[in-house]
Amino acid sequence: MITARPPPMTAELLERTDEYVVAVWRRLMLLVWRGEATAVGIDRSRDLFARWSAGQPGGAVFVVVLPLENTLPPDEASRAAMRRAASSPSRNLRGTATLVESEGFIAASVRSIMMMLHTGRAPNVFRTTGELATWAATLLKDPELTAAGIAEAIRMAREG
């Protein structure tokens, strides 16, 4: 007897502004930037993660998704907010990652800066949803966490 699989879980939007969208899919929280990163968005998403992740058995992962185009390095206020977030992580945080899908010199520079901000841990800065999915699925022990699912969650957040 063949049983039908349930449809893939869709992303849930938690907060949307002109600057960013915060969405959750499975045990991932996605901070999807629509433009340049801001300290306000970083601080707000950190608060949302702390509340949401408390209900995630086995913890959760926080993923920062940079815009496809015009990716610029974070300003000093944003870097300070990133350091604050890194120095006081939620107890349910299993890992953090940054997805920089853009190509070129500026995108490579941004990936380098993001790697430097991951002090004390391995830098989890990815170029593709496939790389991100492999890492997150292994970390969370969730084989249903796929590149296609992450890509769809990001698409929904960008359009949302």
Side-chain angles (χ1 to χ4, degrees):
M1 174 185 217
I2 298 175
T3 58
R5 295 183 95 181
M9 188 169 96
T10 59
E12 176 186 355
L13 300 182
L14 299 183
E15 185 165 294
R16 176 180 53 201
T17 72
D18 290 341
E19 298 169 338
Y20 64 88
V21 176
V22 177
V24 293
W25 180 68
R26 301 192 70 76
R27 289 171 37 213
L28 301 181
M29 177 173 279
L30 305 166
L31 170 58
V32 181
W33 291 105
R34 295 176 171 210
E36 291 184 44
T38 63
V40 170
I42 294 164
D43 290 335
R44 181 74 182 125
S45 64
R46 184 179 73 177
D47 293 342
L48 288 168
F49 183 85
R51 283 187 269 144
W52 170 78
S53 67
Q56 302 304 310
V61 166
F62 186 87
V63 179
V64 177
V65 181
L66 299 182
L68 288 171
E69 298 176 1
N70 302 322
T71 302
L72 298 173
D75 63 17
E76 185 52 44
S78 296
R79 285 194 296 265
M82 290 175 191
R83 286 189 293 272
R84 282 193 302 276
S87 67
S88 61
S90 165
R91 67 177 183 208
N92 298 309
L93 179 66
R94 292 290 311 271
T96 61
T98 302
L99 180 62
V100 184
E101 297 174 289
S102 301
E103 295 295 331
F105 177 76
I106 293 177
S109 299
V110 170
R111 277 192 283 277
S112 294
I113 290 169
M114 297 309 293
M115 285 182 182
M116 287 186 292
L117 290 171
H118 284 270
T119 57
R121 322 178 211 132
N124 300 310
V125 181
F126 302 104
R127 285 182 43 203
T128 68
T129 56
E131 294 168 348
L132 174 60
T134 298
W135 170 79
T138 301
L139 182 66
L140 295 173
K141 297 177 180 60
D142 182 357
E144 301 283 320
L145 212 157
T146 63
I150 293 173
E152 177 62 13
I154 292 169
R155 184 196 65 75
M156 287 180 62
R158 283 187 172 132
E159 292 179 0

